[in-house]
Amino acid sequence: MDCVLALDIGGTKLAGALVDPAGTVLRSATRPTPAADVLGTLADLVAELLPGAAPRAVGIGCAGPLDLATGAVSPVNIPSWRGFPVRDELAALTGLPAVLAGDAQCFALGEHWVGAGRGAASLLGVVVSTGIGGGFVLGGVPLLGPTGNAGHVGHMSVDPYGEPCDCGGRGCVERYASGPNLTRWALAAGWQPPRDRPDARDLAKAAANGDSIALAAFERGARALAAMIVSAAAAVDVRTVVIGGGVAGAGEILFAPLRKALDDLSGLAFLRSVEVAPTTLGVRAGLAGAAKLAWSAVA
Ligand SMILES: [Zn+2]
């Protein structure tokens, strides 16, 4: 079977798959991300996938930040990896050519290849979760940037006088629209959560039941996302935006105010025609993108 090996490395889960040239997953496996020896667990995962297969390359999507020049990563959620040379380590482990990109860049690439943004002329993929990540695919090619960090749209400022962000910036969209920040704002505004330490799913449920503070939190987050999307589209002429991540699971609770805010914030015709869609691949988008990366290294 003609295939590549795709790996998706995150702070909670390691996922791997063998993927054919059409984007079909032939075999897959996952492991929880361990606190230590992440590479050993990856080796174990790869050993489960490889028997009887001869993949032609390995594509790696990894939580950032990363440094494309050295192939090293320092994922915020994997404290044991700081400047870890993941690309070279996995090339050595598998004996295959290895290609690396950020996890959200792989999300965008996967959605462009076989998901909600299939074949789009230009695409922005946004992952709205604990944080907010993103990736661009322009003219069919992922935009990685010289350091590999292009698409960090969560830290685009939507309010230069806004609140300080954990990143050291100010008014970042993540500060308004990530899951923890949606609930943080709602709690401060007097939301009565159904349990201790509620998450964005609890908030979405409350909004679906008509809770006015929960609805206001999503409206505020959606407006921040819309401001980021309009700015990003103005910069690189994005035609299609695909949104995934846990918060996108809120569905119309998020997408209805998002479309309304986009309508309010965009003026120029090329911005008004930007299409926004929810992910169709969900958690599999990252693996699909990593596979596409690997195939582009083969071709
Ligand atoms: Zn920030």
Side-chain angles (χ1 to χ4, degrees):
M1 57 184 178
D2 201 13
C3 67
V4 292
L5 173 63
L7 295 172
D8 185 13
I9 302 172
T12 40
K13 198 184 72 176
L14 308 173
L18 297 176
V19 180
D20 78 5
T24 306
V25 172
L26 305 172
R27 195 181 291 166
S28 66
T30 62
R31 297 279 189 284
T33 306
D37 196 19
V38 178
L39 187 65
T41 305
L42 276 172
D44 185 47
L45 180 76
V46 169
E48 180 181 333
L49 291 168
L50 283 189
R56 297 165 65 178
V58 54
I60 309 153
C62 188
L66 49 89
D67 180 358
L68 268 197
T70 60
V73 296
S74 306
V76 178
N77 296 332
I78 307 180
S80 63
W81 279 9
R82 285 295 169 268
F84 183 79
V86 68
R87 186 177 58 203
D88 290 353
E89 290 285 355
L90 286 168
L93 178 75
T94 59
L96 298 169
V99 201
L100 171 69
D103 51 357
Q105 292 166 337
C106 283
F107 167 84
L109 192 54
E111 290 289 344
H112 182 269
W113 190 28
V114 288
R118 192 184 292 236
S122 57
L123 176 140
L124 165 62
V126 187
V127 181
V128 187
S129 175
T130 313
I132 296 180
F136 292 94
V137 182
L138 304 177
V141 179
L143 176 75
L144 304 182
T147 66
N149 292 294
H152 261 71
V153 295
H155 298 285
M156 283 172 63
S157 181
V158 292
D159 182 355
Y161 301 100
E163 298 172 19
C165 176
D166 291 340
C167 74
R170 185 178 286 278
C172 298
V173 62
E174 182 171 300
R175 183 71 189 168
Y176 302 88
S178 73
N181 279 303
L182 288 172
T183 54
R184 179 185 59 83
W185 183 85
L187 289 168
W191 175 47
Q192 301 292 321
R195 61 187 177 109
D196 285 346
R197 290 191 286 163
D199 60 19
R201 212 173 307 164
D202 297 312
L203 189 68
K205 242 178 248 166
N209 290 329
D211 184 293
S212 61
I213 297 173
L215 284 164
F218 274 95
E219 199 173 313
R220 182 173 180 271
R223 196 167 173 83
L225 277 176
M228 176 276 283
I229 288 169
V230 171
S231 299
V236 291
D237 196 5
V238 161
R239 303 279 79 220
T240 304
V241 180
V242 180
I243 301 185
V247 174
E252 282 304 299
I253 296 292
L254 175 70
F255 280 86
L258 178 59
R259 286 194 205 95
K260 208 169 133 214
L262 284 168
D263 186 54
D264 187 42
L265 295 177
S266 54
L268 298 170
F270 82 103
L271 298 176
R272 297 193 64 79
S273 61
V274 171
E275 300 278 348
V276 180
T279 172
T280 52
L281 298 177
V283 293
R284 294 169 296 134
L287 270 182
K292 181 65 178 167
L293 266 188
W295 278 118
S296 45
V298 170

